[in-house]
Amino acid sequence: MGSRIVSTGRAVPPTCISNRDLERRLDTSHEWICSRTGIIRRHVLRDGESLVDFAAEASRQALQRAGMEAGDLDAIVAGTVSSEYAFPSFACQVQRALGAPTVPALDVAAACSGFVYALAVADGIMRAGDWRRALVVGADALSTMVNWRDRSTAVLFGDGAGAVVMVSEPGPRGVLKSILRSSGEMWDLLSVRATGQRGAIDAASVRDPRDAIQMRGPELFRIAVKSMEDVTREVAEGAGVSLNDISLVVPHQANLRIINAMMERLGIDQEKVFTNIDRYGNTSAASVPIALDEAVEANRLQSNDLVLINACGGGLTWGANLVRW
Ligand code: UT7
């Protein structure tokens, strides 16, 4: 018995910041940001807004499209590193917002790979037979963790949430295989201290630079391309499918150049990749489920299509899921 994604949803904060807006705050330019990352604008949380509200909105959409109510769920799994509380978990906060019953609700912390990890965890438990219907959420608000005076990170991140409903189902459709990898050895390529403090773009105080996101961008760039390439080959081989059979790649949206380089190395036609980084920036664990939801909306995903999802992020963590849609 496998698990199949039956519906998707997404929600982002209303505040949208363009590269031109950032030009007025930082020593940067639209041309630099666009050519180096592919980002044109991003949605960011304002001071006082809660990411949980957007995660709940994305979840309600997914539930409604699945023809379900929160009461039908057997579990909630959230991929996130942005909970405002050390506890309760983000998933428990979403549970409360949805009015879901006393089912297990848990977080999976894998930074930008959070959704890939959460999907694999939910699929594994569903295969074991314990859950029949699960809500898997990817949500992050890394814009609240940057130093808004550091141009090398402040321009990259956006905030938001995506959600999918998974149902256990016999047959050929669903998650075929997932592969997860991590290397604590490389933790310092991308990290942020857990302080509990937020530093939204409009916050009165600037986040202490020592507590803001630290990133060794160029090194991470090379590792992201290679790790996402390798894990994609591994998951396809493990599932016994050829890369040529993949209909759509939905990668984590960290940098358009990373995505293009990965696709080139895999030898998969660039037309088979879904990107939306231009409008969202890097939304960490939210990027894949937001992209899945947009891909559904754009009619890019048909029944029985072979879909490849992959990501790389802080930890380091990386991984891939191969899905028969
Ligand atoms: O989601 C998790 C995974 N995340 C990633 O994988 C991110 C991976 N890394 C990247 O995407 C890229 O490394 C960045 C987009 C972060 C940076 O791009 P880059 O092409 O690697 O630039 P760089 O860091 O090598 O910097 C090149 C130049 C530097 O100036 P000099 O030393 O050549 O004079 C930087 O100071 O660009 C400068 N620079 C900027 N200039 C204008 C850095 N940030 C900016 C900026 N605006 N925002």
Side-chain angles (χ1 to χ4, degrees):
M1 186 78 83
S3 74
R4 183 166 74 84
I5 296 173
V6 294
S7 64
T8 59
R10 70 175 188 275
V12 293
T15 303
C16 188
I17 303 288
S18 69
N19 292 345
R20 297 283 179 217
D21 294 329
L22 291 177
E23 281 178 357
R24 288 188 277 277
R25 304 174 61 105
L26 292 160
D27 177 20
T28 190
S29 66
H30 167 71
E31 289 68 28
W32 190 97
I33 301 170
C34 201
S35 64
R36 298 288 179 127
T37 71
I39 301 166
I40 294 173
R41 54 184 194 264
R42 72 287 287 143
H43 292 260
V44 297
L45 271 193
R46 298 182 80 96
D47 219 16
E49 282 179 334
S50 168
L51 184 63
V52 172
D53 292 339
F54 298 100
E57 191 181 326
S59 302
R60 277 188 214 102
Q61 278 175 19
L63 282 167
Q64 197 217 340
R65 289 169 186 164
M68 286 184 205
E69 291 174 2
D72 298 323
L73 291 171
D74 296 319
I76 300 172
V77 184
T80 187
V81 288
S82 304
S83 180
E84 281 173 75
Y85 291 85
F87 58 87
S89 68
F90 191 83
C92 281
Q93 296 170 62
V94 172
Q95 179 181 36
R96 175 174 181 263
L98 295 177
T102 56
V103 296
L106 57 121
D107 289 357
V108 177
C112 297
S113 312
F115 183 79
V116 169
Y117 266 61
L119 197 71
V121 167
D123 176 57
I125 296 176
M126 291 172 85
R127 277 175 197 279
D130 290 346
W131 302 341
R132 285 176 307 130
R133 301 183 184 111
L135 175 71
V136 180
V137 179
D140 265 318
L142 299 197
S143 91
T144 66
M145 302 178 199
V146 292
N147 169 5
W148 277 102
R149 293 192 180 132
D150 173 12
R151 67 178 184 175
S152 69
T153 52
V155 303
L156 302 176
F157 299 102
D159 307 331
V164 303
V165 170
M166 297 174 76
V167 170
S168 62
E169 198 179 90
R173 292 170 67 192
V175 180
L176 303 183
K177 190 165 185 65
S178 296
I179 292 187
L180 306 179
R181 299 276 180 252
S182 49
S183 167
E185 185 93 353
M186 294 193 275
W187 74 275
D188 59 350
L189 288 182
L190 180 56
S191 64
V192 64
R193 278 159 49 88
T195 63
Q197 282 172 340
R198 320 200 72 186
I201 191 168
D202 60 336
S205 58
V206 176
R207 200 175 166 100
D208 184 322
R210 288 166 302 181
D211 293 336
I213 287 180
Q214 312 285 330
M215 184 171 79
R216 289 172 26 206
E219 269 174 273
L220 188 54
F221 187 105
R222 285 189 292 278
I223 293 167
V225 173
K226 176 89 171 68
S227 61
M228 284 161 76
E229 179 200 354
D230 288 350
V231 79
T232 299
R233 290 188 188 282
E234 251 184 281
V235 83
E237 200 182 311
V241 304
S242 154
L243 293 176
N244 292 329
D245 296 334
I246 292 170
S247 314
L248 193 69
V249 178
V250 183
H252 168 49
Q253 316 276 315
N255 185 319
L256 191 58
R257 290 188 298 134
I258 292 179
I259 295 172
N260 290 343
M262 174 194 74
M263 293 296 287
E264 197 172 313
R265 289 167 70 136
L266 287 168
I268 304 179
D269 192 341
Q270 297 281 358
E271 281 173 14
K272 290 186 176 177
V273 70
F274 189 87
T275 63
N276 60 7
I277 188 171
D278 53 331
R279 289 170 287 120
Y280 295 100
N282 178 349
T283 57
S284 187
S287 86
V288 167
I290 289 175
L292 280 177
D293 189 51
E294 288 204 331
V296 169
E297 207 169 83
N299 239 358
R300 296 279 305 270
L301 286 168
Q302 311 299 334
S303 292
N304 291 308
D305 277 358
L306 200 53
V307 184
L308 185 282
I309 294 169
N310 63 14
C312 172
L316 285 189
T317 55
W318 63 101
N321 321 104
L322 193 64
V323 178
R324 177 73 65 190
W325 197 256

